[in-house]
Every structure is written in C-alpha cells, then in structure tokens.
C-alpha cells in the first residue's frame, strides 16, 4: 500500500481511516453459482461503491472479495454514515434481486494515527475488526478497539493450545455421554456424544467456545474424526447387547462439506466394525450453508449406507423450515429454547405444537433436548415427541458414570 505511505507523508492529511470490506458468506455464492458469477458480483459491488464515495475517499480492490476504502481527514460518524449508504445501496442493487441473493457486507475500521502508524499494523487491526464483525452477526461495521485486540489474542492463544493438544495425541480432549430416553416407555434408546476439552490454563471451557475455533482453523475435521472413532469404539460392545441402541455424534457443516467426508466416515465406521444403522449424525452449526443441494446429496449417500441424519437445534436461526423442504432428514432435535417455554401456567405453546405436528406429518422422529422437569416431560409425552434428553434424566457424564 504505497498509496498509504504517500498519504501519511502528505502534511494535508492528519487523520486517515482504513475501512476493510468483505462480502458475507461469499464462499456460498461461489459454491452456488460459479467463480465467474462471483467475480461479476465483486465487480458490480466495487463499481457501485465507487459511485457513491465522497471526494475524500478512494476504493481499492484487495485479495479475493476484500476491498479497502481509504478516507482522508474524516470523523467516525462520517464513516458510519458512509457504511449505511453502502448497505442501502446493496439492498437496492438489481443484480442480486434477480437471482434471489441476499448479499450483505461486513466492515472493519481503523484510524491513523489513533490505532497505529504503520500500514502493516493498521491492516492487521482492521482485519481483526472485520473478523469481529463477522463473528458478531455480520452485516455490520466495527471500529478497532482494545477489546477486539484482547479478544483476538485470547482466541489465537486458544488456537495454539488446541493445536498442541491435537498434536499431543488429543491430550485434554474427552467425551461425555448423555442418554436419550423413549418418551412413553422411559427406556434409554440412545446416547448423544459430547466433546470436552480441558487445559490447565482455561477453566471448564465450553464446546460452544472452542468448536468455532476448531472450525475456523481447519482443525474440526481431525477432531471430528477422533470424536467419531472414540464414540464408536466406546459403544461397539454395548451394541451387541442392545441392538436397537443409537449413538448420536455431532458433526458441523464444515466437516460435511469437506470433499472426503463420506470416505473418511466410512473408513472409521468400518475400522471400528460398527453397524451403520446404529449411528446418527447430528448436523450442527449449519447456518453458513446456503447450498442445501450439496448437503442433500451427502445425506442421501449416508442414508443409503443406513446412517440416520438428525437436524440439531431445530427451530433456531437457520435450522428451520427451509431444511425440511430441501433435505431428507430422519430426526429433528427440538432446540432447548422451545422446551424452556413449557411452563406450568401455559397449556399451549403454539411454536412447539407446530413443530411436533409438522414432524408427525413428515414422518420424522423428534427428540426434545434440555428437558429439565416433570412438567416438561409430561407435556412432551402428551404432544407426541418421541424421545427426550436433558438434566431431568442425566447430564452429560463419563462412560463409567453412564454405565
Ligand atoms: P448441542 O448439540 O445442542 O448439545 C446439547 C447441549 O445441551 C450440550 O451442551 C448439553 O450439555 C446441554 N444440555 C443437555 N441437557 C441439558 C438440559 O437439561 N438443560 C440445559 N440447559 N442444557 C442441557 P454442551 O455439551 O456444552 O455442547 C454445546 C454444543 O457444542 C453442542 O450443542 C454442539 O453444538 C457442540 N458440540 C459438542 N460436542 C461436539 C462435537 O463433538 N462436534 C461438534 N461439531 N460439535 C459439538
Ligand atoms: Ca447435538
Ligand atoms: Ca442442540
């Protein structure tokens, strides 16, 4: 960025703002259409942004779908206004409307000299801010701050520690098991396998925190494979005694979209000599997948082998009706937030009733997660939910406790 050097050596410029822009979930656009189409989107977007920039701003094309705007002598509120204008312009662009695309853009922003004085330093801070914007809901602009830096350092450190654990033969990783029971007979019909990671430095860190780090840093595949192998190994003998018993393992969409996913899974199952029909794969974190047809073809291949497919966290975010329409599922796991809504005072819980009604019509099995009390258990029994899981029966425990 020699432009940048020129600008800061210009005595007329006291303050300079760098805005990094990046299209949200752009991967999906390339996946859904093709690269030419993606390039076309970037070009259209760049031209449109260019056309609304004020005189003190310039647009630069950076790597891939990243763009940078340099704005001279500007206040933060002017940057916010500019970003608003860009968002508005995007909403009204005809090109994506025609294709039914919902394009949004995230931005990270730093100010010279407030946040640093070298290009390298400023670019790094801007990209941390951009990443923060992406991780906090996308479609937003985030200014650099010390909190963002702290956040980034924490997750970088955790990433290194996770890597070290993996390389040290998965030291610190372990599995917990939570039973699933039949709503009517109260018999245990299966188990969900949940990953844990402990490290001296962090106290009881939740998978909700470390799994996204694994996903973002290409580590989820290797850890996911380990989870599956250990889960199957743990329950191999158990299945001989209880042939109806199902082992549910979480897989994130990032794993499924990997080219070798099916091959890898089959190898693990065959190595462990585990019956396919006793395995359920629960699809989690699927909100980044727009291309449901790829998922569908992978699901089909898995189901042809005898493996069952469950949609996790059903009813939240993107794990919703679209999925029922486009994917052949076997099981839906009703998200805990709906189960929480079952309270003594309320006889009718319209959302939950609709979900159970719909899954009945579609012939899907339902599992309620997060069942915590008798009242919820009874309500779910009366409303034809097939299986229950939650602290009401057992929290996730070690295999010894599970037995
Ligand atoms: P999930 O798949 O929705 O798992 C259910 C979560 O609910 C678990 O949290 C479980 O401990 C918790 N839970 C169980 N019963 C109750 C209850 O009665 N009340 C409440 N409030 N919570 C209950 P956990 O173990 O912290 O896992 C969090 C998430 O991390 C999982 O959510 C799943 O999305 C992800 N995860 C866990 N293990 C794996 C894994 O091996 N692979 C992948 N990709 N994701 C995993
Ligand atoms: Ca799950
Ligand atoms: Ca869930």
């Amino acid at each position: 960025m020699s432009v940048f050097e020129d600008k800061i050596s210009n005595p007329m410029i006291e303050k300079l703002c760098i805005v990094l822009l990046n299209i949200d979930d752009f991967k999906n656009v390339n996946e859904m259409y093709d690269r030419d189409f993606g390039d076309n989107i970037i070009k259209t977007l760049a031209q449109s942004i260019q056309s609304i920039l004020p005189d003190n701003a310039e647009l630069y094309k950076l790597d891939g779908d990243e763009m940078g705007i340099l704005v001279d002598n500007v206040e933060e509120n002017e940057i916010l206004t500019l970003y608003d204008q860009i968002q508005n312009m995007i909403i009204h662009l005809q090109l994506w409307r025609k294709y039914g695309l919902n394009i949004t853009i995230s931005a990270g922003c730093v100010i010279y000299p407030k946040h640093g004085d070298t290009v390298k330093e400023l670019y790094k801070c801007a990209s941390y801010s951009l990443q923060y914007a992406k991780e906090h809901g996308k479609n937003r602009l985030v200014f650099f701050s010390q909190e963002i830096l702290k956040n980034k350092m924490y997750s970088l450190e955790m990433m290194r520690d996770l890597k070290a654990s993996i390389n040290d033969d998965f030291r610190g990783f372990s599995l917990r098991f939570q039973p699933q029971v039949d709503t009517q007979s109260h018999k245990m019909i299966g188990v969900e396998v949940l990953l844990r990671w402990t490290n001296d430095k962090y106290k009881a860190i939740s998978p909700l925190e470390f799994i996204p780090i694994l996903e973002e840093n290409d580590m989820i595949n290797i850890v996911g494979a380990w989870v599956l192998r250990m889960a199957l190994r743990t329950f191999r003998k158990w299945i001989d005694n209880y042939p109806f018993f199902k082992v549910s393992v979480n897989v994130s969409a990032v794993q499924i979209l990997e080219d070798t996913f099916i091959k890898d899974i089959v190898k693990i199952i065959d190595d462990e000599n585990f019956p396919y029909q006793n395995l359920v794969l629960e699809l989690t974190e699927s909100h980044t997948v727009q291309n449901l047809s790829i998922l569908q073809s992978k699901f089909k291949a898995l189901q042809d082998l005898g493996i069952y497919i469950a949609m996790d966290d059903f009813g939240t975010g993107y794990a919703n009706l679209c999925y029922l329409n486009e994917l052949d599922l076997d099981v839906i796991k009703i998200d805990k937030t709906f189960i929480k809504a079952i309270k003594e005072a309320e006889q009718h819980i319209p959302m939950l009733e609709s979900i159970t009604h719909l899954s009945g019509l579609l012939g899907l099995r339902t599992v309620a997660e997060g069942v915590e009390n008798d009242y919820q258990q009874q309500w779910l029994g009366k409303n034809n939910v097939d299986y229950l899981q939650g602290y009401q029966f057992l929290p996730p425990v070690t295999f010894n406790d599970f037995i």
Side-chain angles (χ1 to χ4, degrees):
M1 265 211 187
S2 63
V3 201
F4 179 86
E5 312 284 0
D6 291 348
K7 279 196 186 273
I8 57 176
S9 55
N10 177 346
M12 300 293 285
I13 295 174
E14 285 170 7
K15 202 170 166 187
L16 187 65
C17 183
I18 306 180
V19 188
L20 277 188
L21 295 170
N22 188 285
I23 303 172
D24 295 325
D25 301 321
F26 190 64
K27 247 188 12 256
N28 292 324
V29 176
N30 276 334
E31 227 171 63
M32 249 194 298
Y33 301 91
D34 56 35
R35 251 175 216 286
D36 287 347
F37 185 81
D39 289 346
N40 200 3
I41 297 241
I42 299 175
K43 218 167 101 193
T44 310
L45 200 57
Q47 283 165 351
S48 311
I49 293 175
Q50 183 79 56
S51 72
I52 59 169
L53 286 185
D55 289 343
N56 60 339
E58 278 160 83
L59 180 76
Y60 299 91
K61 167 110 173 52
L62 305 169
D63 270 355
D65 60 319
E66 198 154 284
M67 283 172 261
I69 305 177
L70 286 181
V71 198
D72 308 341
N73 298 327
V74 72
E75 296 303 326
E76 299 196 1
N77 60 348
E78 293 169 67
I79 294 292
L80 286 172
T81 310
L82 176 62
Y83 179 69
D84 273 352
Q85 286 166 347
I86 293 176
Q87 273 183 318
N88 257 319
M89 181 268 302
I90 293 175
I91 293 173
H92 293 101
L93 270 182
Q94 286 303 322
L95 176 69
W96 8 106
R97 285 241 197 115
K98 198 165 78 197
Y99 291 94
L101 278 174
N102 178 24
I103 299 262
T104 57
I105 202 162
S106 293
C109 193
V110 281
I111 291 168
Y112 163 87
K114 185 174 159 192
H115 297 136
D117 44 24
T118 66
V119 195
K120 215 172 137 197
E121 205 178 330
L122 286 160
Y123 179 80
K124 209 165 71 184
C125 295
S127 58
Y128 291 167
S129 311
L130 176 61
Q131 196 184 0
Y132 191 91
K134 297 253 180 196
E135 285 164 5
H136 290 78
K138 303 172 184 162
N139 195 22
R140 64 196 59 219
L141 175 135
V142 170
F143 279 99
F144 180 72
S145 67
Q146 284 309 311
E147 192 208 323
I148 287 176
L149 187 65
K150 238 170 75 190
N151 211 290
K152 180 69 193 179
M153 291 305 130
Y154 180 74
S155 65
L156 275 178
E157 191 176 337
M158 193 178 287
M159 182 195 79
R160 280 192 290 267
D161 292 335
L162 282 161
K163 234 176 219 155
S165 283
I166 294 170
N167 291 334
D168 192 3
D169 203 16
F170 296 91
R171 196 168 53 90
F173 286 100
S174 61
L175 301 182
R176 294 293 179 274
F177 307 95
Q178 187 176 38
Q180 299 180 332
V181 304
D182 184 282
T183 311
Q184 305 306 329
S185 69
H186 297 164
K187 278 204 180 113
M188 180 162 71
I189 54 88
V191 65
E192 176 173 4
V193 177
L194 293 152
L195 181 61
R196 295 290 177 266
W197 180 59
T198 48
N199 180 303
D200 298 342
K201 224 185 285 174
Y202 314 92
K203 270 182 256 145
I205 162 166
S206 158
L208 293 173
E209 201 174 330
F210 69 78
I211 290 203
I213 297 180
L214 294 176
E215 288 179 340
E216 278 153 31
N217 296 284
D218 289 330
M219 293 187 276
I220 191 68
N221 290 312
I222 180 168
V223 175
W226 181 85
V227 170
L228 180 66
R229 190 178 286 282
M230 291 307 147
L232 301 187
R233 196 170 287 176
T234 306
F235 282 97
R236 175 65 198 89
K237 285 211 184 71
W238 185 287
I239 298 290
D240 289 338
N241 298 328
Y242 307 101
F244 58 86
F245 194 83
K246 300 259 188 290
V247 176
S248 293
V249 176
N250 291 289
V251 286
S252 74
V254 182
Q255 285 172 265
I256 301 194
L257 293 176
E258 184 72 13
D259 288 341
T260 58
F261 179 72
I262 307 262
K263 200 180 104 230
D264 297 345
I265 288 254
V266 166
K267 173 153 189 340
I268 294 169
I269 303 173
D270 290 350
D271 281 354
E272 299 302 324
N273 192 21
F274 195 87
Y276 289 96
Q277 67 277 10
N278 291 84
L279 176 62
V280 181
L281 296 179
E282 293 187 8
L283 175 69
T284 67
E285 290 298 319
S286 49
H287 55 273
T288 54
V289 185
Q290 283 189 15
N291 189 348
L292 292 183
S293 69
I294 291 189
L295 271 190
Q296 176 53 25
S297 67
K298 298 223 178 180
F299 283 179
K300 173 87 176 39
L302 294 165
Q303 286 163 326
D304 285 347
L305 291 167
I307 297 168
Y308 293 87
I309 305 290
M311 173 60 58
D312 214 340
D313 303 332
F314 189 81
T316 62
Y318 291 73
N320 53 31
L321 290 175
C322 262
Y323 284 92
L324 290 189
N325 211 9
E326 296 199 32
L327 300 175
D328 260 326
L329 302 169
D330 302 296
V331 179
I332 59 179
K333 296 198 73 177
I334 307 171
D335 193 68
K336 324 193 228 315
T337 51
F338 295 102
I339 311 308
K340 278 218 164 64
I342 309 174
K343 297 196 182 100
E344 303 269 350
E346 278 157 84
Q347 287 295 313
H348 285 289
I349 298 129
M351 273 299 280
L352 196 50
E353 283 165 38
S354 317
I355 293 175
T356 58
H357 182 67
L358 193 62
S359 45
L361 290 175
L362 294 168
L364 298 171
R365 293 290 169 142
T366 42
V367 181
E369 49 179 29
V371 182
E372 293 182 352
N373 59 50
D374 293 344
Y375 189 77
Q376 292 169 341
Q377 183 178 345
Q378 278 154 16
W379 193 97
L380 293 160
K382 275 188 243 147
N383 285 271
N384 305 317
V385 169
D386 300 296
Y387 310 118
L388 310 175
Q389 183 183 339
Y391 299 159
Q392 167 78 343
F393 307 99
L394 206 64
V397 292
T398 61
F399 188 63
N400 277 341
D401 290 344
F402 186 85
I403 295 170

